[in-house]
Amino acid sequence: MASKEEKRRMVDGFATSGMTRREYCAKHGIAVSTLDYWRLKRKPKLVRVAIEGQPSGPGFTLTLGNGRRIESSWRFAEADMARLIRAAEA
């Protein structure tokens, strides 16, 4: 049985590995379903964001904690944007 710290390290390690779930799990000797369960049990992290000047056109750029960016010209309702952020950070 893995400790909370080991689970956290595995989930964080996967997030930064650039590997597929299957590759990462094979390398570390755990089942994909186990990694998925640990990932689902993690509580989402809240991060402070800064709102820069008003964009010149419609849309947004979302920069995630891991440095990845999502850019779109679409407009979202607040609830839909919150769901997008939760999915992107998962």
Side-chain angles (χ1 to χ4, degrees), residues 13-28:
F14 166 69
T16 59
S17 71
M19 295 179 188
T20 65
R21 291 176 8 258
R22 185 170 298 194
E23 291 168 338
Y24 187 82
C25 290
K27 180 178 178 180
H28 294 282

Side-chain angles (χ1 to χ4, degrees), residues 59-60 70 72-84:
F60 66 92
I70 299 172
S72 175
S73 60
W74 297 351
R75 290 249 181 230
F76 289 94
E78 186 176 336
D80 294 330
M81 181 60 79
R83 279 199 309 259
L84 172 64

Side-chain angles (χ1 to χ4, degrees), residues 16-66:
T16 59
S17 71
M19 295 179 188
T20 65
R21 291 176 8 258
R22 185 170 298 194
E23 291 168 338
Y24 187 82
C25 290
K27 180 178 178 180
H28 294 282
I30 61 172
V32 173
S33 60
T34 299
L35 178 65
D36 289 345
Y37 179 77
W38 292 346
R39 290 174 66 213
L40 285 173
K41 287 298 182 181
R42 296 239 1 228
K43 293 182 180 173
K45 297 177 189 173
L46 297 178
V47 296
R48 185 173 300 275
V49 297
I51 300 175
E52 297 176 2
Q54 188 68 21
S56 59
F60 66 92
T61 300
L62 174 63
T63 305
L64 305 175
N66 61 10

Side-chain angles (χ1 to χ4, degrees), residues 7-19:
K7 292 175 187 178
R8 186 192 59 77
R9 274 195 309 253
M10 288 293 236
V11 170
D12 291 345
F14 166 69
T16 59
S17 71
M19 295 179 188

